[in-house]
Amino acid sequence: MSLKKAISVLQKISPRLTARIAFNFISKPKNRKIRTFEKSILKIAKESTIRFKKFNIKTYIWGNGTKKALLIHGWGGRASNFGAIIPELIKNEYKVISFDGPCHGASTRKKTSFFEISDLVKLFLEKDKYDLIITHSMGTVFAFTAMDSLKYRVNQMIILTSPSRFLEFIELAVTQFGLTTRTTKLLIDKVRKTTTAYNPVTLRASTLVKGIEMKDVTFIHDKFDKIIPIERSKSVSLSIKNSKFIEIEGTGHFKMLWSKKVVRIIEQQILNYNM
């Protein structure tokens, strides 16, 4: 019997137990296989470990430029995902800072939550002032949530795809397990207990960005992205005054991180802003 069929049977017996299983699913991100270029970039990083709640968080620094860039990976990602982008940032005189989120990469692998990772991003933002923030996928909303709570100001932000609503995160489990409306409601109730600051049902990126001051914002999204449809990034972009939206093809959702096309776009956006 497949997992989806087993869940279908279990839901009829105990929606509450099914919701608990689904909650555990979205609390333990599956790390993607580390690629060769990622291993190479880790070899030249200055690594350290900080304590955050119940986690040992692996942090990384590259370069020693006069400007600072913070890179925030997505759900199931890791700092080394930006391995193709980091050399360009160093070349353009950035000191690059990143980390493996809780239950991601080389950090402690225990259950975590969206809002816990957002709290970690907040810790980094409180510690330093960054000239540039680059995010990928769910990392964009980790960043927006943290930045909104701090009423943060940043000179430049480059966004490599963005969800538009928090419920899209929960939809991963709903789709994976074929959850009923009742079980989905119980799952949302469990997620709601992981934060006191936000309502997961109404949380939208377009609302969060209203509390953030961003001088220069660029969205980059593949028109055929199967993980986050391009319309979601576009709706967030429309909420940010004077944001730029660059539509690309042939990179998908994950390959864009090591796409030469995307690296060139990032470099051009940096050069344009710093002229």
Side-chain angles (χ1 to χ4, degrees):
M1 183 183 293
S2 70
L3 177 61
K4 199 165 186 177
K5 286 184 178 179
I7 289 292
S8 178
V9 173
L10 182 61
Q11 283 187 98
K12 296 173 183 176
I13 302 169
S14 177
R16 194 169 298 278
L17 176 58
T18 308
R20 190 185 311 155
I21 292 170
F23 180 74
N24 286 336
F25 170 76
I26 64 171
S27 300
K28 294 179 179 178
K30 182 180 179 181
N31 280 353
R32 298 176 68 82
K33 182 180 178 181
I34 189 166
R35 297 175 179 273
T36 301
F37 77 84
E38 295 182 79
K39 293 178 183 178
S40 300
I41 204 67
L42 289 177
K43 286 180 181 178
I44 62 170
K46 296 176 184 176
E47 296 186 13
S48 60
T49 302
I50 62 172
R51 190 68 182 170
F52 171 74
K53 298 184 179 181
K54 60 184 181 289
F55 300 94
N56 291 323
I57 300 295
K58 184 68 72 173
T59 67
Y60 308 91
I61 296 175
W62 292 270
N64 50 14
T66 55
K67 298 169 289 187
K68 288 185 180 178
L70 177 65
L71 311 184
I72 304 170
H73 65 73
W75 188 259
R78 58 201 305 151
S80 57
N81 290 166
F82 296 98
I85 298 168
I86 291 167
E88 289 300 323
L89 298 179
I90 296 171
K91 188 176 75 175
N92 283 279
E93 300 181 355
Y94 283 91
K95 179 180 181 180
V96 182
I97 296 96
S98 193
F99 58 86
D100 292 339
C103 200
H104 288 73
S107 293
T108 306
R109 298 197 59 75
K110 291 183 180 181
K111 287 197 300 184
T112 190
S113 71
F114 171 94
F115 297 101
E116 196 162 44
I117 300 176
S118 181
D119 284 344
L120 177 61
V121 175
K122 183 177 177 180
L123 188 70
F124 276 82
L125 296 178
E126 288 174 323
K127 182 181 177 182
D128 271 314
K129 178 66 181 174
Y130 297 95
D131 301 283
L132 169 67
I133 296 175
I134 300 179
T135 63
H136 177 242
S137 192
M138 190 61 71
T140 303
V141 192
F142 295 151
F144 284 160
T145 308
M147 294 165 80
D148 171 66
S149 68
L150 296 171
K151 304 306 174 191
Y152 198 77
R153 297 180 179 182
V154 65
N155 290 336
Q156 186 174 27
M157 195 161 180
I158 296 175
I159 296 165
L160 307 176
T161 79
S162 174
S164 56
R165 301 177 303 134
F166 177 78
L167 283 180
E168 292 160 16
F169 176 65
I170 293 176
E171 285 169 6
L172 293 172
V174 174
T175 302
Q176 177 83 5
F177 296 123
L179 301 184
T180 63
T181 301
R182 185 183 177 191
T183 306
T184 300
K185 183 180 181 301
L186 290 168
L187 172 60
I188 291 171
D189 287 343
K190 292 184 76 66
V191 173
R192 189 180 278 115
K193 293 176 182 177
T194 65
T195 177
T196 57
Y198 296 97
N199 182 347
V201 175
T202 59
L203 184 61
R204 292 177 177 270
S206 57
T207 303
L208 293 172
V209 296
K210 292 176 182 177
I212 308 167
E213 186 177 322
M214 298 172 279
K215 292 183 179 179
D216 187 273
V217 186
T218 303
F219 286 77
I220 306 172
H221 203 124
D222 192 297
K223 65 190 296 185
F224 300 114
D225 189 327
K226 294 180 180 179
I227 306 298
I228 298 179
I230 193 169
E231 290 74 21
R232 294 178 180 176
S233 280
K234 284 183 176 178
S235 70
V236 182
S237 177
L238 289 171
S239 303
I240 303 173
K241 186 178 180 181
N242 299 325
S243 71
K244 298 183 289 293
F245 196 95
I246 299 175
E247 191 172 305
I248 58 175
E249 293 183 38
T251 69
H253 185 74
F254 296 104
K255 285 199 301 182
M256 71 183 309
L257 288 164
W258 56 91
S259 162
K260 291 180 180 178
K261 180 191 306 182
V262 172
V263 172
R264 285 196 300 270
I265 293 171
I266 290 173
E267 182 178 30
Q268 192 59 55
Q269 294 305 309
I270 290 169
L271 290 173
N272 289 346
Y273 180 76
N274 290 312
M275 283 179 63

